[in-house]
Amino acid sequence: MRGNRGGIMGWSGTARAMFVLFILLWPKTVFANGGPLHDPADAYGRLTFDEQSGIMLVRERVSFRIGDGVGDDASGPKGAAVSVEYELWNPGGVDREVDVLFLVPSREQVTVTTGGVRLDTGTPGVIPANWSARKSASVVDPLSGKALRFTARGSQTEEAAGTQFALTFAAGEKKLVTIRYMDRGGFYTRGVVRPLYAHLYYLTPAKYWEGAPQVELELTFASPGARVYSNMTLERLDAYTYRGTLKELPDEEWSFSYMYPHRLLFPTNIELDHNLLVLGTAAAAAALAALAALWTRRSYIFLLASLGIMAFTGYYISRMGGYPFNPIFVGLTDAAVGVALLVSYSVIRRRIKRTR
């Protein structure tokens, strides 16, 4: 009997050891997106990011390519082609099956490839409960640096949406995953001369991966001359390209805005500021022309200067009050400037005649 008990106890110990070894060697499954997810068993509980996934994000490269046709009208936000490269590494000694959740600020179609193969994707319909976007509710004018809050005529309506796909890692394997989508972005037209365009990219979910990845950011414009504001430091390489490198993931999302300074004379895109500067310059020019006409007793000097001043204000005051009042206010302003110049010319002529 004792021998049998010992055999049974020995067999039980061996079974337990084999079971533990089986668990250790079985391929692991985690959920991720820029950060790993913890998926509650049997769908009970909330979906949350997993802070101990065992998968490392080595490098993240984000590239926005802005197409043609931006900055010349205020019809709405323009699209940007976004390409994201994730270099992922399984440093452990076991195979892993990874379900990845990639978050974007709009419900656009997302394509995912790795090793030249396009992966199947799905939409989970929920966002991790322990994550929220860390972003500003304002857009910054690149010329003046002023922050403007989004309003009815300046909106950036983002709603985080997830795209889920599966990856399989052998022990110690690295994978390069490429994610592409179109980002419609947002735009701002209230109180500015030229429309502002804004885009957002979620960086903070990647904090849930293991490691401290290098983050590379790039903007490429199809048309030169864009002025850019970015909350992450970017270097202007040429008239088309901006680029920046972060040593670690930041504590906020990457947001940037841009505009084209067409018909802007002064370093501000704020409508009131720019128009007042234009009118002030026009008034100063008129005063100098009046002094010159009175000094030389030649009234035509002011008349010629007035033609130039009218052309100056007509060109640089192109927006006032916004839709639908813009043509009315701009027209009234041009008329007021014209009347003021005409009255000034009449006064100058009378004074010159009196001194003769």
Side-chain angles (χ1 to χ4, degrees), residues 298-327:
R298 299 289 188 271
S299 60
Y300 68 84
I301 293 178
F302 186 83
L303 181 61
L304 294 176
S306 296
L307 296 176
I309 291 170
M310 284 295 299
F312 173 80
T313 55
Y315 182 80
Y316 285 111
I317 296 184
S318 59
R319 184 176 175 84
M320 184 177 288
Y323 178 85
F325 305 106
N326 188 69

PDB file of all heavy atoms in Angstrom, residues 298-327:
ATOM      1  N   ARG A 298       1.556 120.016 -54.640  1.00  0.00           N
ATOM      2  CA  ARG A 298       1.150 119.214 -55.802  1.00  0.00           C
ATOM      3  C   ARG A 298       0.097 118.206 -55.322  1.00  0.00           C
ATOM      4  O   ARG A 298       0.419 117.156 -54.775  1.00  0.00           O
ATOM      5  CB  ARG A 298       2.342 118.458 -56.408  1.00  0.00           C
ATOM      6  CG  ARG A 298       3.453 119.346 -56.919  1.00  0.00           C
ATOM      7  CD  ARG A 298       3.010 120.071 -58.186  1.00  0.00           C
ATOM      8  NE  ARG A 298       4.122 120.788 -58.788  1.00  0.00           N
ATOM      9  CZ  ARG A 298       4.452 122.031 -58.499  1.00  0.00           C
ATOM     10  NH1 ARG A 298       3.768 122.696 -57.569  1.00  0.00           N
ATOM     11  NH2 ARG A 298       5.467 122.620 -59.099  1.00  0.00           N
ATOM     12  N   SER A 299      -1.163 118.515 -55.545  1.00  0.00           N
ATOM     13  CA  SER A 299      -2.242 117.647 -55.041  1.00  0.00           C
ATOM     14  C   SER A 299      -2.278 116.291 -55.739  1.00  0.00           C
ATOM     15  O   SER A 299      -2.768 115.304 -55.180  1.00  0.00           O
ATOM     16  CB  SER A 299      -3.596 118.342 -55.208  1.00  0.00           C
ATOM     17  OG  SER A 299      -3.854 118.620 -56.586  1.00  0.00           O
ATOM     18  N   TYR A 300      -1.740 116.240 -56.965  1.00  0.00           N
ATOM     19  CA  TYR A 300      -1.778 114.966 -57.691  1.00  0.00           C
ATOM     20  C   TYR A 300      -0.914 113.896 -57.020  1.00  0.00           C
ATOM     21  O   TYR A 300      -1.092 112.694 -57.244  1.00  0.00           O
ATOM     22  CB  TYR A 300      -1.362 115.164 -59.150  1.00  0.00           C
ATOM     23  CG  TYR A 300       0.090 115.535 -59.344  1.00  0.00           C
ATOM     24  CD1 TYR A 300       1.084 114.563 -59.379  1.00  0.00           C
ATOM     25  CD2 TYR A 300       0.460 116.875 -59.510  1.00  0.00           C
ATOM     26  CE1 TYR A 300       2.417 114.919 -59.561  1.00  0.00           C
ATOM     27  CE2 TYR A 300       1.787 117.223 -59.692  1.00  0.00           C
ATOM     28  CZ  TYR A 300       2.763 116.248 -59.712  1.00  0.00           C
ATOM     29  OH  TYR A 300       4.080 116.596 -59.887  1.00  0.00           O
ATOM     30  N   ILE A 301       0.055 114.323 -56.191  1.00  0.00           N
ATOM     31  CA  ILE A 301       0.863 113.339 -55.448  1.00  0.00           C
ATOM     32  C   ILE A 301      -0.037 112.513 -54.544  1.00  0.00           C
ATOM     33  O   ILE A 301       0.071 111.278 -54.475  1.00  0.00           O
ATOM     34  CB  ILE A 301       1.960 114.048 -54.633  1.00  0.00           C
ATOM     35  CG1 ILE A 301       2.980 114.690 -55.559  1.00  0.00           C
ATOM     36  CG2 ILE A 301       2.648 113.076 -53.675  1.00  0.00           C
ATOM     37  CD1 ILE A 301       4.079 115.457 -54.853  1.00  0.00           C
ATOM     38  N   PHE A 302      -0.952 113.186 -53.846  1.00  0.00           N
ATOM     39  CA  PHE A 302      -1.879 112.452 -52.980  1.00  0.00           C
ATOM     40  C   PHE A 302      -2.843 111.607 -53.809  1.00  0.00           C
ATOM     41  O   PHE A 302      -3.193 110.497 -53.411  1.00  0.00           O
ATOM     42  CB  PHE A 302      -2.669 113.428 -52.105  1.00  0.00           C
ATOM     43  CG  PHE A 302      -3.526 112.749 -51.091  1.00  0.00           C
ATOM     44  CD1 PHE A 302      -3.011 112.307 -49.870  1.00  0.00           C
ATOM     45  CD2 PHE A 302      -4.873 112.505 -51.341  1.00  0.00           C
ATOM     46  CE1 PHE A 302      -3.807 111.654 -48.949  1.00  0.00           C
ATOM     47  CE2 PHE A 302      -5.675 111.851 -50.426  1.00  0.00           C
ATOM     48  CZ  PHE A 302      -5.134 111.427 -49.219  1.00  0.00           C
ATOM     49  N   LEU A 303      -3.256 112.128 -54.959  1.00  0.00           N
ATOM     50  CA  LEU A 303      -4.177 111.379 -55.813  1.00  0.00           C
ATOM     51  C   LEU A 303      -3.544 110.073 -56.284  1.00  0.00           C
ATOM     52  O   LEU A 303      -4.172 109.003 -56.238  1.00  0.00           O
ATOM     53  CB  LEU A 303      -4.596 112.222 -57.009  1.00  0.00           C
ATOM     54  CG  LEU A 303      -5.584 111.571 -57.981  1.00  0.00           C
ATOM     55  CD1 LEU A 303      -6.880 111.226 -57.267  1.00  0.00           C
ATOM     56  CD2 LEU A 303      -5.834 112.490 -59.165  1.00  0.00           C
ATOM     57  N   LEU A 304      -2.290 110.148 -56.746  1.00  0.00           N
ATOM     58  CA  LEU A 304      -1.600 108.923 -57.178  1.00  0.00           C
ATOM     59  C   LEU A 304      -1.379 107.963 -56.015  1.00  0.00           C
ATOM     60  O   LEU A 304      -1.540 106.748 -56.160  1.00  0.00           O
ATOM     61  CB  LEU A 304      -0.265 109.304 -57.829  1.00  0.00           C
ATOM     62  CG  LEU A 304      -0.347 110.087 -59.140  1.00  0.00           C
ATOM     63  CD1 LEU A 304       1.054 110.476 -59.609  1.00  0.00           C
ATOM     64  CD2 LEU A 304      -1.062 109.259 -60.205  1.00  0.00           C
ATOM     65  N   ALA A 305      -1.004 108.525 -54.871  1.00  0.00           N
ATOM     66  CA  ALA A 305      -0.815 107.674 -53.692  1.00  0.00           C
ATOM     67  C   ALA A 305      -2.124 107.000 -53.282  1.00  0.00           C
ATOM     68  O   ALA A 305      -2.139 105.852 -52.840  1.00  0.00           O
ATOM     69  CB  ALA A 305      -0.258 108.500 -52.540  1.00  0.00           C
ATOM     70  N   SER A 306      -3.241 107.723 -53.437  1.00  0.00           N
ATOM     71  CA  SER A 306      -4.551 107.165 -53.070  1.00  0.00           C
ATOM     72  C   SER A 306      -4.885 105.948 -53.914  1.00  0.00           C
ATOM     73  O   SER A 306      -5.473 104.968 -53.419  1.00  0.00           O
ATOM     74  CB  SER A 306      -5.634 108.234 -53.229  1.00  0.00           C
ATOM     75  OG  SER A 306      -5.417 109.293 -52.329  1.00  0.00           O
ATOM     76  N   LEU A 307      -4.529 105.984 -55.191  1.00  0.00           N
ATOM     77  CA  LEU A 307      -4.777 104.816 -56.049  1.00  0.00           C
ATOM     78  C   LEU A 307      -4.002 103.597 -55.540  1.00  0.00           C
ATOM     79  O   LEU A 307      -4.525 102.479 -55.503  1.00  0.00           O
ATOM     80  CB  LEU A 307      -4.393 105.145 -57.490  1.00  0.00           C
ATOM     81  CG  LEU A 307      -5.211 106.249 -58.162  1.00  0.00           C
ATOM     82  CD1 LEU A 307      -4.662 106.537 -59.558  1.00  0.00           C
ATOM     83  CD2 LEU A 307      -6.678 105.858 -58.225  1.00  0.00           C
ATOM     84  N   GLY A 308      -2.755 103.848 -55.163  1.00  0.00           N
ATOM     85  CA  GLY A 308      -1.962 102.743 -54.607  1.00  0.00           C
ATOM     86  C   GLY A 308      -2.495 102.247 -53.286  1.00  0.00           C
ATOM     87  O   GLY A 308      -2.513 101.034 -53.014  1.00  0.00           O
ATOM     88  N   ILE A 309      -2.969 103.161 -52.439  1.00  0.00           N
ATOM     89  CA  ILE A 309      -3.517 102.765 -51.138  1.00  0.00           C
ATOM     90  C   ILE A 309      -4.790 101.944 -51.319  1.00  0.00           C
ATOM     91  O   ILE A 309      -5.016 100.953 -50.617  1.00  0.00           O
ATOM     92  CB  ILE A 309      -3.785 104.018 -50.281  1.00  0.00           C
ATOM     93  CG1 ILE A 309      -2.462 104.670 -49.881  1.00  0.00           C
ATOM     94  CG2 ILE A 309      -4.593 103.667 -49.035  1.00  0.00           C
ATOM     95  CD1 ILE A 309      -2.616 106.032 -49.237  1.00  0.00           C
ATOM     96  N   MET A 310      -5.637 102.335 -52.254  1.00  0.00           N
ATOM     97  CA  MET A 310      -6.855 101.562 -52.522  1.00  0.00           C
ATOM     98  C   MET A 310      -6.518 100.150 -52.996  1.00  0.00           C
ATOM     99  O   MET A 310      -7.143  99.177 -52.572  1.00  0.00           O
ATOM    100  CB  MET A 310      -7.701 102.282 -53.582  1.00  0.00           C
ATOM    101  CG  MET A 310      -8.457 103.499 -53.064  1.00  0.00           C
ATOM    102  SD  MET A 310      -9.707 103.043 -51.838  1.00  0.00           S
ATOM    103  CE  MET A 310     -10.765 101.969 -52.794  1.00  0.00           C
ATOM    104  N   ALA A 311      -5.540 100.048 -53.890  1.00  0.00           N
ATOM    105  CA  ALA A 311      -5.124  98.721 -54.363  1.00  0.00           C
ATOM    106  C   ALA A 311      -4.536  97.904 -53.213  1.00  0.00           C
ATOM    107  O   ALA A 311      -4.780  96.692 -53.104  1.00  0.00           O
ATOM    108  CB  ALA A 311      -4.108  98.874 -55.494  1.00  0.00           C
ATOM    109  N   PHE A 312      -3.782  98.564 -52.351  1.00  0.00           N
ATOM    110  CA  PHE A 312      -3.155  97.902 -51.198  1.00  0.00           C
ATOM    111  C   PHE A 312      -4.201  97.321 -50.246  1.00  0.00           C
ATOM    112  O   PHE A 312      -4.156  96.142 -49.890  1.00  0.00           O
ATOM    113  CB  PHE A 312      -2.273  98.917 -50.477  1.00  0.00           C
ATOM    114  CG  PHE A 312      -1.698  98.432 -49.178  1.00  0.00           C
ATOM    115  CD1 PHE A 312      -0.580  97.610 -49.148  1.00  0.00           C
ATOM    116  CD2 PHE A 312      -2.276  98.801 -47.974  1.00  0.00           C
ATOM    117  CE1 PHE A 312      -0.049  97.157 -47.949  1.00  0.00           C
ATOM    118  CE2 PHE A 312      -1.751  98.371 -46.766  1.00  0.00           C
ATOM    119  CZ  PHE A 312      -0.634  97.539 -46.755  1.00  0.00           C
ATOM    120  N   THR A 313      -5.169  98.139 -49.843  1.00  0.00           N
ATOM    121  CA  THR A 313      -6.192  97.655 -48.906  1.00  0.00           C
ATOM    122  C   THR A 313      -7.109  96.631 -49.573  1.00  0.00           C
ATOM    123  O   THR A 313      -7.541  95.666 -48.944  1.00  0.00           O
ATOM    124  CB  THR A 313      -7.029  98.824 -48.376  1.00  0.00           C
ATOM    125  OG1 THR A 313      -7.583  99.557 -49.481  1.00  0.00           O
ATOM    126  CG2 THR A 313      -6.179  99.755 -47.541  1.00  0.00           C
ATOM    127  N   GLY A 314      -7.414  96.845 -50.852  1.00  0.00           N
ATOM    128  CA  GLY A 314      -8.275  95.890 -51.552  1.00  0.00           C
ATOM    129  C   GLY A 314      -7.659  94.505 -51.663  1.00  0.00           C
ATOM    130  O   GLY A 314      -8.364  93.490 -51.645  1.00  0.00           O
ATOM    131  N   TYR A 315      -6.330  94.467 -51.781  1.00  0.00           N
ATOM    132  CA  TYR A 315      -5.651  93.178 -51.924  1.00  0.00           C
ATOM    133  C   TYR A 315      -5.462  92.488 -50.573  1.00  0.00           C
ATOM    134  O   TYR A 315      -5.702  91.272 -50.446  1.00  0.00           O
ATOM    135  CB  TYR A 315      -4.294  93.377 -52.599  1.00  0.00           C
ATOM    136  CG  TYR A 315      -3.537  92.091 -52.830  1.00  0.00           C
ATOM    137  CD1 TYR A 315      -3.848  91.272 -53.915  1.00  0.00           C
ATOM    138  CD2 TYR A 315      -2.520  91.688 -51.974  1.00  0.00           C
ATOM    139  CE1 TYR A 315      -3.168  90.087 -54.138  1.00  0.00           C
ATOM    140  CE2 TYR A 315      -1.834  90.506 -52.184  1.00  0.00           C
ATOM    141  CZ  TYR A 315      -2.157  89.712 -53.262  1.00  0.00           C
ATOM    142  OH  TYR A 315      -1.480  88.541 -53.463  1.00  0.00           O
ATOM    143  N   TYR A 316      -5.031  93.229 -49.560  1.00  0.00           N
ATOM    144  CA  TYR A 316      -4.661  92.605 -48.298  1.00  0.00           C
ATOM    145  C   TYR A 316      -5.823  92.465 -47.313  1.00  0.00           C
ATOM    146  O   TYR A 316      -5.723  91.688 -46.371  1.00  0.00           O
ATOM    147  CB  TYR A 316      -3.513  93.361 -47.640  1.00  0.00           C
ATOM    148  CG  TYR A 316      -2.186  93.088 -48.311  1.00  0.00           C
ATOM    149  CD1 TYR A 316      -1.541  94.074 -49.039  1.00  0.00           C
ATOM    150  CD2 TYR A 316      -1.606  91.830 -48.230  1.00  0.00           C
ATOM    151  CE1 TYR A 316      -0.332  93.820 -49.667  1.00  0.00           C
ATOM    152  CE2 TYR A 316      -0.398  91.561 -48.850  1.00  0.00           C
ATOM    153  CZ  TYR A 316       0.234  92.555 -49.565  1.00  0.00           C
ATOM    154  OH  TYR A 316       1.432  92.295 -50.205  1.00  0.00           O
ATOM    155  N   ILE A 317      -6.903  93.193 -47.509  1.00  0.00           N
ATOM    156  CA  ILE A 317      -8.094  92.942 -46.685  1.00  0.00           C
ATOM    157  C   ILE A 317      -9.045  92.109 -47.530  1.00  0.00           C
ATOM    158  O   ILE A 317      -9.879  92.617 -48.286  1.00  0.00           O
ATOM    159  CB  ILE A 317      -8.756  94.258 -46.230  1.00  0.00           C
ATOM    160  CG1 ILE A 317      -7.810  95.023 -45.320  1.00  0.00           C
ATOM    161  CG2 ILE A 317     -10.064  93.970 -45.495  1.00  0.00           C
ATOM    162  CD1 ILE A 317      -8.395  96.299 -44.746  1.00  0.00           C
ATOM    163  N   SER A 318      -8.898  90.813 -47.426  1.00  0.00           N
ATOM    164  CA  SER A 318      -9.670  89.883 -48.251  1.00  0.00           C
ATOM    165  C   SER A 318     -10.724  89.140 -47.440  1.00  0.00           C
ATOM    166  O   SER A 318     -11.576  88.452 -48.010  1.00  0.00           O
ATOM    167  CB  SER A 318      -8.735  88.865 -48.901  1.00  0.00           C
ATOM    168  OG  SER A 318      -8.026  88.129 -47.912  1.00  0.00           O
ATOM    169  N   ARG A 319     -10.669  89.269 -46.118  1.00  0.00           N
ATOM    170  CA  ARG A 319     -11.626  88.545 -45.285  1.00  0.00           C
ATOM    171  C   ARG A 319     -11.975  89.396 -44.069  1.00  0.00           C
ATOM    172  O   ARG A 319     -11.103  89.909 -43.375  1.00  0.00           O
ATOM    173  CB  ARG A 319     -11.041  87.200 -44.848  1.00  0.00           C
ATOM    174  CG  ARG A 319     -12.009  86.350 -44.049  1.00  0.00           C
ATOM    175  CD  ARG A 319     -11.402  84.988 -43.742  1.00  0.00           C
ATOM    176  NE  ARG A 319     -12.270  84.214 -42.888  1.00  0.00           N
ATOM    177  CZ  ARG A 319     -13.291  83.483 -43.318  1.00  0.00           C
ATOM    178  NH1 ARG A 319     -13.545  83.430 -44.609  1.00  0.00           N
ATOM    179  NH2 ARG A 319     -14.039  82.799 -42.476  1.00  0.00           N
ATOM    180  N   MET A 320     -13.295  89.498 -43.818  1.00  0.00           N
ATOM    181  CA  MET A 320     -13.754  90.277 -42.676  1.00  0.00           C
ATOM    182  C   MET A 320     -15.162  89.804 -42.293  1.00  0.00           C
ATOM    183  O   MET A 320     -16.105  89.957 -43.070  1.00  0.00           O
ATOM    184  CB  MET A 320     -13.757  91.770 -43.008  1.00  0.00           C
ATOM    185  CG  MET A 320     -14.122  92.664 -41.842  1.00  0.00           C
ATOM    186  SD  MET A 320     -14.028  94.422 -42.282  1.00  0.00           S
ATOM    187  CE  MET A 320     -12.236  94.616 -42.375  1.00  0.00           C
ATOM    188  N   GLY A 321     -15.281  89.224 -41.131  1.00  0.00           N
ATOM    189  CA  GLY A 321     -16.596  88.810 -40.648  1.00  0.00           C
ATOM    190  C   GLY A 321     -16.990  87.391 -40.992  1.00  0.00           C
ATOM    191  O   GLY A 321     -17.900  86.831 -40.387  1.00  0.00           O
ATOM    192  N   GLY A 322     -16.316  86.787 -41.961  1.00  0.00           N
ATOM    193  CA  GLY A 322     -16.646  85.409 -42.306  1.00  0.00           C
ATOM    194  C   GLY A 322     -17.952  85.282 -43.064  1.00  0.00           C
ATOM    195  O   GLY A 322     -18.692  86.240 -43.274  1.00  0.00           O
ATOM    196  N   TYR A 323     -18.231  84.040 -43.463  1.00  0.00           N
ATOM    197  CA  TYR A 323     -19.460  83.753 -44.214  1.00  0.00           C
ATOM    198  C   TYR A 323     -20.687  83.935 -43.318  1.00  0.00           C
ATOM    199  O   TYR A 323     -20.670  83.540 -42.158  1.00  0.00           O
ATOM    200  CB  TYR A 323     -19.392  82.313 -44.720  1.00  0.00           C
ATOM    201  CG  TYR A 323     -20.625  81.876 -45.481  1.00  0.00           C
ATOM    202  CD1 TYR A 323     -20.735  82.153 -46.841  1.00  0.00           C
ATOM    203  CD2 TYR A 323     -21.666  81.209 -44.843  1.00  0.00           C
ATOM    204  CE1 TYR A 323     -21.868  81.757 -47.542  1.00  0.00           C
ATOM    205  CE2 TYR A 323     -22.792  80.818 -45.544  1.00  0.00           C
ATOM    206  CZ  TYR A 323     -22.893  81.094 -46.885  1.00  0.00           C
ATOM    207  OH  TYR A 323     -24.005  80.716 -47.589  1.00  0.00           O
ATOM    208  N   PRO A 324     -21.762  84.583 -43.810  1.00  0.00           N
ATOM    209  CA  PRO A 324     -21.981  85.101 -45.175  1.00  0.00           C
ATOM    210  C   PRO A 324     -21.719  86.598 -45.294  1.00  0.00           C
ATOM    211  O   PRO A 324     -22.115  87.218 -46.277  1.00  0.00           O
ATOM    212  CB  PRO A 324     -23.465  84.802 -45.389  1.00  0.00           C
ATOM    213  CG  PRO A 324     -24.060  85.014 -44.023  1.00  0.00           C
ATOM    214  CD  PRO A 324     -23.014  84.567 -43.028  1.00  0.00           C
ATOM    215  N   PHE A 325     -21.084  87.193 -44.262  1.00  0.00           N
ATOM    216  CA  PHE A 325     -20.929  88.642 -44.225  1.00  0.00           C
ATOM    217  C   PHE A 325     -19.639  89.131 -44.871  1.00  0.00           C
ATOM    218  O   PHE A 325     -19.444  90.342 -44.998  1.00  0.00           O
ATOM    219  CB  PHE A 325     -20.967  89.121 -42.763  1.00  0.00           C
ATOM    220  CG  PHE A 325     -22.189  88.673 -42.028  1.00  0.00           C
ATOM    221  CD1 PHE A 325     -22.107  87.656 -41.081  1.00  0.00           C
ATOM    222  CD2 PHE A 325     -23.430  89.238 -42.287  1.00  0.00           C
ATOM    223  CE1 PHE A 325     -23.227  87.233 -40.402  1.00  0.00           C
ATOM    224  CE2 PHE A 325     -24.562  88.820 -41.611  1.00  0.00           C
ATOM    225  CZ  PHE A 325     -24.465  87.812 -40.667  1.00  0.00           C
ATOM    226  N   ASN A 326     -18.768  88.219 -45.250  1.00  0.00           N
ATOM    227  CA  ASN A 326     -17.449  88.614 -45.736  1.00  0.00           C
ATOM    228  C   ASN A 326     -17.513  89.603 -46.904  1.00  0.00           C
ATOM    229  O   ASN A 326     -16.891  90.668 -46.834  1.00  0.00           O
ATOM    230  CB  ASN A 326     -16.647  87.368 -46.117  1.00  0.00           C
ATOM    231  CG  ASN A 326     -15.210  87.690 -46.455  1.00  0.00           C
ATOM    232  OD1 ASN A 326     -14.443  88.058 -45.582  1.00  0.00           O
ATOM    233  ND2 ASN A 326     -14.848  87.567 -47.727  1.00  0.00           N
ATOM    234  N   PRO A 327     -18.222  89.331 -47.991  1.00  0.00           N
ATOM    235  CA  PRO A 327     -18.231  90.293 -49.109  1.00  0.00           C
ATOM    236  C   PRO A 327     -18.848  91.636 -48.724  1.00  0.00           C
ATOM    237  O   PRO A 327     -18.435  92.684 -49.244  1.00  0.00           O
ATOM    238  CB  PRO A 327     -19.057  89.583 -50.184  1.00  0.00           C
ATOM    239  CG  PRO A 327     -19.846  88.552 -49.454  1.00  0.00           C
ATOM    240  CD  PRO A 327     -19.009  88.133 -48.305  1.00  0.00           C
TER     241      PRO A 327
END
